[in-house]
Amino acid sequence: DAGVTQSPTHLIKTRGQQVTLRCSPISGHKSVSWYQQVLGQGPQFIFQYYEKEERGRGNFPDRFSARQFPNYSSELNVNALLLGDSALYLCASSLSRDSHWGAPGANVLTFGAGSRLTVL
Amino acid sequence: DAKTTQPTSMDCAEGRAANLPCNHSTISGNEYVYWYRQIHSQGPQYIIHGLKNNETNEMASLIITEDRKSSTLILPHATLRDTAVYYCIVRVVNSGYALNFGKGTSLLVTP
């Protein structure tokens, strides 16, 4: 079974540019979450989408936006890139809107390998 | 969400049990303890979660103290592939997926 796939795997941008990152969830998963991981830190929550609607937003500026498509894939957009946006961007999918209920291991986040963004 | 405190790094010999502690002294009654790990160059991977009873699955065991202020993740027979950063997270179940990963514990399993 295909896991969570993200593209591109690596990319380099310059300050002020815009970037779009893509995520395909596991088949049947309706929830997609985005996280940013700066070097040496744990992942930081950016967005959650469920059934194409935003269900949660972390403490990130409005330069960050996302959307979810009818096939449950998702895009993360970052405008006016800053040097500090350099990070690993992780996408995670899950069956349902909420976390960790049900049988052990049910409705947990399954992460992709990430898109590594370098801003010069 | 309750805050967690973990050691920055730990070592473990291959084949021995790895015991990773987590302090969550401000945990509330409806908050669960979750563990994820992140192997280098990969996304985080779910390991286990629990409320107050000890839990075991094919990957690990989770021991939660009776007062729930701390817990220990146990990898019974650590292998080199268990070298990773381990994150202890406290969260109310059914509260979405905004998990606070913190900095975690970097576990090095040595031959």
Side-chain angles (χ1 to χ4, degrees), chain A residues 31 33 35 37 41-43 45 48 90 94 96-101 105 107-109 111-113, chain B residues 34 36 38 41-46 49 87 91-103:
Chain A
S31 177
S33 301
Y35 282 76
Q37 186 172 24
Q41 305 291 321
F45 173 74
Q48 182 198 348
L90 294 160
S94 186
S96 75
R97 172 179 178 176
D98 290 306
S99 61
H100 299 90
W101 61 269
N107 294 302
V108 299
L109 288 176
F111 283 84
Chain B
Y34 309 128
Y36 280 75
Q38 186 173 23
S41 298
Q42 297 182 20
Q45 175 191 26
Y46 167 81
H49 74 282
Y87 297 99
R91 184 76 175 160
V92 177
V93 77
N94 291 344
S95 57
Y97 291 105
L99 302 180
N100 181 4
F101 280 83
K103 292 188 177 183

Side-chain angles (χ1 to χ4, degrees), chain B residues 57-88:
Chain B
N57 63 20
E58 65 279 4
M59 290 183 67
S61 295
L62 174 60
I63 308 297
I64 302 174
T65 58
E66 192 168 344
D67 64 6
R68 303 209 322 122
K69 293 184 176 183
S70 66
S71 60
T72 301
L73 178 75
I74 301 173
L75 308 178
H77 305 286
T79 71
L80 299 180
R81 289 191 300 267
D82 292 322
T83 292
V85 177
Y86 287 77
Y87 297 99
C88 170

